[in-house]
Amino acid sequence: MSEPQDNVDIGALKDTFLECPVCVEHFNQTDRRPRLLHSCLHAFCTQCLQQLLAKEGKGQITCPLCRQVHKIPGNPDTLPVDPVRAKLVDFVQIKKEGKAPCTDCPEGSTAESRCQECSVYLCKECAYVHRRHRLTHDHPVISLSGVLEQPLNTFAKGHFCTHHPKHQLEFYCASDETLCCLSCTVVEHKGHDFQKLDEAAERRQRELEASMRAVNTNAQQLRQRRLSEERRQTAIAQAQVKAKSDVNAHFAKLTNILNERESHLVGDIDERSSRMLSLSEKEVEAIDQTLAVTESTETYFTQAKEKADVVEILQMYPAIKRSLDAAADGPGQGGLTAPEIVVTFIPTNGNVVEKLGSEVGCVSESTDTQNENDQLLQCLDEVFDAALKYKTKKKLIDHFEKKSYSNERETCAICENYIVDAKGIWCGHRFCKICIDQVLSKQTNCPVCNTNGVHVNYYEECCEEYDGQHQNDYCEEYDGQHQNDYCEEYDGQ
């Protein structure tokens, strides 16, 4: 059993143990009696429990402190009164007021003393009778002021049997695990195993202490787990912020790459178009000069035919002849109309980018021991699975094998990716076959050096790759003079 406590801090008792956590009012023995909730052992005053029950309904109360739900069979008065707090309420009230009502007399006179054996308060008359009665004359009776000077654990209340209200509880029935009075031992609990209250309390207290030690051990583990979970929550929140920052940075980088690529392509279009426009303007200027000479010579020759005599014709012949020869051999000559070459945009790999755009990046749940390489492989697996929706497995494997072949492979100047299925043209430049095929279907200049005559080499490769029918089809694309030039050059090949 615990040692007696000599000094009691009444203020601490009232503020920590004798105060309802809901209304923050002190417990009393009238409308604010301390009542216990069964499973969590939190105590609240009767008034607050009534309000909680009326508010929640359904015959249940949710504990305001731990949120456990308790079923209430009826009204809060059915809940047990906390005997420890009830005793302390009496102690604090007597300590505060310095008086107590007599327990025995029906008038409720003011008590002057207390029987420590019976745990009752006695007025002057009842104390006189108590000391003279043969059953109680040897009981220790002390003054009320002396009661307040006693240790708190000696301040006890009388506990009476519920079946025999006039009899105090004196035994503990181990068979039924309940308290009983002397009458119970010969009636309701006849033949049961009884224990003295001190012995039963000491034994049960040892059991509770052992259980409390086990619970405290588990509670310590739970506190450690709680600290671990708090650290985990902090780590999750920090990782969430970092992951979102990484996503934003990654997509900002991708956006910059796309913007740079867009700027590069627009600049390339402007550069190529400006170069082609410059060449075309020079060609137009040369043609205008030749036409001017031709028109001037024609005008002079027409006038000479009408107004000059034979001698003058012969005299002017050399000059007119030189002017005509210069016009015939001057810049801008050519029987063929120049091919309509324009700059176009070819969305190479655009469909792959669009289809895989929704699969960029992946989110994984990792632990401290998980290897970063495993995370990378997991992300690659997700990208590969997404790519399988649009490409066959063989094509993807071939693509990765070619991509891993060398970091210094040739780059196609058209798509600016590594060359796939390389094809060279007569000037020595090499491109992806699909890229150069698309370009040469619209122009006859090298996309890099703009050298004319690409069609010559391209035609040779076409003739080597296809039969003669392809040659005929190819020659039919051009007018008669152009067809004759190409057919005479490649006749027999």
Side-chain angles (χ1 to χ4, degrees), residues 21-22 37-44 48-49 51-53 55-57 60-71:
V22 177
L37 298 179
H38 301 286
S39 57
C40 64
L41 298 182
H42 286 133
F44 305 93
C48 290
L49 289 174
Q51 294 173 2
L52 291 173
L53 182 61
K55 180 179 180 180
E56 190 166 349
Q60 65 182 29
I61 294 177
T62 300
C63 176
L65 300 181
C66 64
R67 309 308 300 171
Q68 287 202 46
V69 179
H70 303 265
K71 296 294 182 181

Side-chain angles (χ1 to χ4, degrees), residues 8 37 50 63 82-83 115 130 146 179 190 192 225 231 264 285 338 363 373 429 444-445 471 486:
V8 179
L37 298 179
Q50 289 173 344
C63 176
D82 182 0
C115 176
H130 204 79
L179 293 163
K190 184 179 181 179
H192 290 183
R225 283 182 56 188
R231 290 193 293 269
H264 171 76
E285 183 180 356
V363 178
N373 291 334
H429 290 121
T444 58
N445 295 59
Q471 177 181 351
Y486 279 104

Side-chain angles (χ1 to χ4, degrees), residues 204-267:
R204 296 303 183 274
Q205 182 171 328
R206 287 197 302 267
E207 292 177 1
L208 293 176
E209 288 174 350
S211 299
M212 184 59 66
R213 285 192 294 271
V215 169
N216 285 335
T217 301
N218 184 54
Q220 185 63 26
Q221 295 175 351
L222 291 176
R223 293 187 186 97
Q224 294 296 329
R225 283 182 56 188
R226 191 180 187 281
L227 290 175
S228 177
E229 289 299 322
E230 288 179 349
R231 290 193 293 269
R232 180 168 174 262
Q233 292 173 10
T234 301
I236 290 173
Q238 293 174 348
Q240 179 186 14
V241 173
K242 183 179 182 301
K244 291 169 68 175
S245 176
D246 291 344
V247 168
N248 293 333
H250 181 69
F251 278 87
K253 181 179 178 181
L254 292 178
T255 301
N256 289 336
I257 291 174
L258 290 175
N259 290 336
E260 290 175 2
R261 179 61 178 166
E262 179 185 11
S263 299
H264 171 76
L265 291 174
V266 171

